[in-house]
Amino acid sequence: MITARDCIVVNAHCGIVYSAPSHAHFHETGDSVNNLRVKTALLANGWADDVSIDIDADGDIAGVQSGVAGASDGCLLPGIANVHSHAHQRAMAGLAERAGGGDDDFWGWRALMYRFLDAVQPEHLRAIAAQLYVEMLKAGYTRVAEFHYLHHQSGGGRYENIAEMSLQILAATIDTGIGITHLPVYYQFGGFGERPMSEKQLRFANDPAHFLTLFEALKNEIGHDKNTTLGIAAHSLRAINKETFGEILDALAKHGALPVHIHIAEQSGEVDECIAWSGARPVEYLYENFAVDRNWCLIHATHMTDFETAQLAASGAVAGLCPTTEANLGDGFFNAARYLAEGGRIGIGSDSHISVSPVEELRWLEYGQRLVHRSRNRLSAGCGLGTGRRLYDLAVAGGAQACGHNSGAIAPGKRADFIVLDTAHPLLCERHGDELIDSWVFSGNENSVRDVYVGGKRVIENGRHACEADIRRRFLSAMKALRAR
Ligand code: NGQ
Ligand code: ZN
């Protein structure tokens, strides 16, 4: 069992030390920077040239100036949050791409995923998550909302430390320096109508009392760390009932506003089952039974009527869209054009990690709409911005909101979470303003993210993470052990 108090130094160069008495020592990775000068930057109020950013000792932005001397090449953007991750699924990406007998579907994929996760032990989870988080950082994600339901041993036996598996995830954030909004998931039933869980699901099971104990243990463990926040999730309407989840929300109200995430209306079969059980569609049911507001993030929300679409938009909640996973699992198309026209907020997530790239999520969000509506630039219509820029703006703002985190814009007082694009890259050269983001999002697959900063620390420099070789080695040995089982 690893806790944040154990002393395991992965690589002395990275300064990773787990002997910390509290999370004050979280996020030791990377060099701290107190000033950054770049040729072009997307600030909270738009593009600016020759920009200087001052960063305070806490990793927050202290000042922003443009028109200064000494700027170096590059395009500075606010970092983007990945609003939906199941880290363990990174280890099976690509292993479910062969049809079984007959029609293959989401539920067949899920059965395979359950078989796979049966083998995952605490040390594997940390190795997988660290590899994944390095990949996220390199791709431009500065933060991850980890929707974490792998709480217990396979078969449901409890670990000695109730937070064992969550601590592995938090340790992986120390290994890598990524920011996290950790979302322990409440999961009580196996299906609509309080169906009992299958044996494979017992690993996820909690009752309200256990769940609240886990939450409080994590709250204590994390303490005050500006890169680490805590929220909660309900796995899905299939996995909870309104009484117990309501009880949990009431009990946690004393902590103030917390991010609340839920999977919803991803598969049409799930919508049909929800109607058969309750008479209402999933999103309709959620709004009838919970006070859904801007602290909520509805993951997928693929199948909504126009009324539900308008209701989600009007509530100020974020739709957590995961286009590559939704494509991979055959979910369907989110009604993005209508939702954005209603003022809806979005974040993007890599979910099953079939792809780990904000570019690919944003590109496929737009391409899905182009294919359905047989036209172009669907999601920037009428706003006067490039489509890549428009989608990036939306997903950065919605991502920070869904993570309950003070990031998502380059402005004084905000967290110094940034990425720097390589403007000398052949895909980005001779581009200006929105064209830089449009070209990054739409024109090719070579990664042009050069540097990445989290809380003022440079965790990716020239496309490399200082600990990537060690992290990869641990991942390879975890994979070897998992495939041998
Ligand atoms: C999950 N993932 O919990 O990992 C789900 C599948 C379910 C996605 N929906 C399992 N992408 O929904 O029951
Ligand atoms: Zn999910």
Side-chain angles (χ1 to χ4, degrees), residues 113 134 179 248 255 288 290 347 359 404:
M113 190 266 285
V134 166
I248 287 167
H255 294 296
E288 275 169 16
F290 294 94
V359 156

Side-chain angles (χ1 to χ4, degrees), residues 253-272:
K254 62 174 190 258
H255 294 296
L258 287 175
V260 182
H261 291 215
I262 184 168
H263 286 127
I264 199 148
E266 179 179 7
Q267 284 275 315
S268 46
E270 180 185 11
V271 176
D272 298 341

Side-chain angles (χ1 to χ4, degrees), residues 86 89 106 109-110 113 149 235 238 263 266 329 351:
H86 308 291
Q89 290 173 17
F106 175 92
W109 169 85
R110 188 175 85 157
M113 190 266 285
Y149 56 82
H235 180 273
R238 289 177 266 126
H263 286 127
E266 179 179 7
L329 298 181
D351 189 352

